[in-house]
Amino acid sequence: MRLLHPVRAFQSQLSMQARLPGSLLRGNKQNQPDIQEAPANADFADPLPLHSIYLAQLLKSARIYANTEKPVVLCIGTDRIIGDSLGPLTGSLLEKYNGASFFVYGTLSSTVHACNLEKTLRQIKKEHPHSAIIAVDASLGQENKIGSVFIHPGSIKPGMGVSKNLPAAGDISITGIAGARGNQPYLTLQTARLSLIMAMAEEICACIVDACG
């Protein structure tokens, strides 16, 4: 909630509003995905396509409010399911830049998932109390949108879909559609193409490095 006012101010300047509902948690174990779901009806405006200009503007607003030059990139997901590995893959790609212009939490070797998200957020608050948080996560959406990556102001709320009381994560959110909505989301995520997830992770990494540079 730290960035509520600058985020709202920036939203009013954009021609397209980015409003995704909270993350819908699909499991509460480390080997189950923390996947959010993209909006399914016209009540939600289309998210903004990922672009370093949008991210840079959101970070500019965040820095004015938070008085910090180094945001935290929080990459959520598990490496045990291909479709949900977008966050950890992105974190591992960003790791070589860690500490230069941002801090990274959540990599393939040290994942951030439902079981340790709250603990990780406490750690971030303790070590980076004034930093804006960029949350990166996989999402489910329309089949023809699979592979698309979006950015929007605001947080991801894991667990909301299954009445889990998990904390909201992020002041700015980046989501990549890893699979289609349907009756078998696990199957969709388990059979996702690694090349597609890797391509989205590389796109997100390049955007963050460019915007934070």
Side-chain angles (χ1 to χ4, degrees):
M1 300 302 289
R2 294 166 298 178
L3 306 182
L4 182 62
H5 299 298
V7 164
R8 284 181 175 172
F10 178 68
Q11 280 181 287
S12 66
Q13 299 171 13
L14 296 177
S15 60
M16 297 173 60
Q17 296 294 314
R19 276 301 187 193
L20 292 177
S23 171
L24 298 183
L25 185 64
R26 298 301 183 190
N28 58 3
K29 296 182 180 179
Q30 183 175 352
N31 64 339
Q32 294 181 319
D34 300 325
I35 291 291
Q36 65 172 352
E37 192 161 318
N41 54 60
D43 290 337
F44 295 98
D46 292 334
L48 290 165
L50 182 69
H51 199 291
S52 59
I53 291 177
Y54 297 143
L55 180 57
Q57 288 294 326
L58 285 170
L59 285 172
K60 182 179 179 181
S61 297
R63 286 167 178 167
I64 291 172
Y65 185 78
N67 192 28
T68 181
E69 291 298 321
K70 291 187 179 182
V72 169
V73 184
L74 175 61
C75 301
I76 303 169
T78 175
D79 62 335
R80 299 186 181 186
I81 295 179
I82 292 175
D84 196 35
S85 65
L86 177 63
L89 274 171
T90 302
S92 289
L93 291 173
L94 290 169
E95 206 170 16
K96 62 182 177 180
Y97 305 100
N98 191 17
S101 55
F102 48 80
F103 301 101
V104 177
Y105 287 79
T107 64
L108 290 172
S109 60
S110 181
T111 56
V112 175
H113 45 80
C115 294
N116 65 1
L117 176 60
E118 188 169 1
K119 177 181 177 181
T120 302
L121 289 173
R122 287 198 303 266
Q123 180 182 354
I124 292 172
K125 184 176 181 180
K126 179 180 178 181
E127 298 187 10
H128 314 283
H130 303 296
S131 290
I133 300 174
I134 304 168
V136 178
D137 199 6
S139 67
L140 297 172
Q142 297 176 5
E143 188 171 358
N144 64 350
K145 296 292 186 180
I146 294 175
S148 300
V149 186
F150 300 99
I151 183 170
H152 64 102
S155 61
I156 294 169
K157 187 67 170 66
M160 188 174 68
V162 290
S163 301
K164 295 289 183 179
N165 188 25
L166 295 176
D171 301 301
I172 301 165
S173 300
I174 296 176
T175 56
I177 299 181
R181 302 185 194 93
N183 297 327
Q184 296 180 304
Y186 285 108
L187 180 61
T188 299
L189 295 170
Q190 289 167 349
T191 57
R193 293 184 61 88
L194 179 58
S195 60
L196 177 66
I197 304 302
M198 190 67 191
M200 287 194 290
E202 290 174 343
E203 182 182 356
I204 295 170
C205 176
C207 176
I208 293 173
V209 171
D210 188 29
C212 296

